[in-house]
Amino acid sequence: MTTLPPPGIKYFPEDSIEKKCYNIAESLKEYIPIMNERYRLGFNLYRYMKGEGDPPEVFIKTARIRYENISEKELIEKINSAINSLKNS
């Protein structure tokens, strides 16, 4: 029995909003060490940037994103400053 090769991966372009949102989540690696938690953060950031999701103050609690070595208020401030710099660029 043989197996098929895995499907190819198509990455987001560097200038896409998806890539930028997931880069913000990845930049918080020291506070959110679990990769799946960062993916969840990136997805919620993407939904927020598209106007479909809740602001960070809400989705940090509702998505149950686990963080460490930082308070919730500081984490939200870091996320909001990253969003503002993304919107200004």
Side-chain angles (χ1 to χ4, degrees), residues 15-68:
D15 60 341
S16 70
I17 191 71
E18 294 94 343
K19 183 72 170 182
K20 292 177 182 178
C21 289
Y22 280 93
N23 284 342
I24 290 172
E26 196 61 33
S27 71
L28 299 169
K29 182 186 279 191
E30 74 179 272
Y31 305 115
I32 306 172
I34 301 171
M35 186 185 313
N36 287 341
E37 301 288 327
R38 292 192 303 269
Y39 287 158
R40 193 175 320 133
L41 173 63
F43 175 72
N44 281 289
L45 280 171
Y46 172 67
R47 288 187 58 219
Y48 173 68
M49 295 298 289
K50 283 184 59 178
E52 298 175 356
D54 295 321
E57 294 81 10
V58 175
F59 72 68
I60 288 293
K61 293 177 184 174
T62 58
R64 296 182 180 166
I65 295 172
R66 288 178 274 176
Y67 50 88
E68 54 189 43

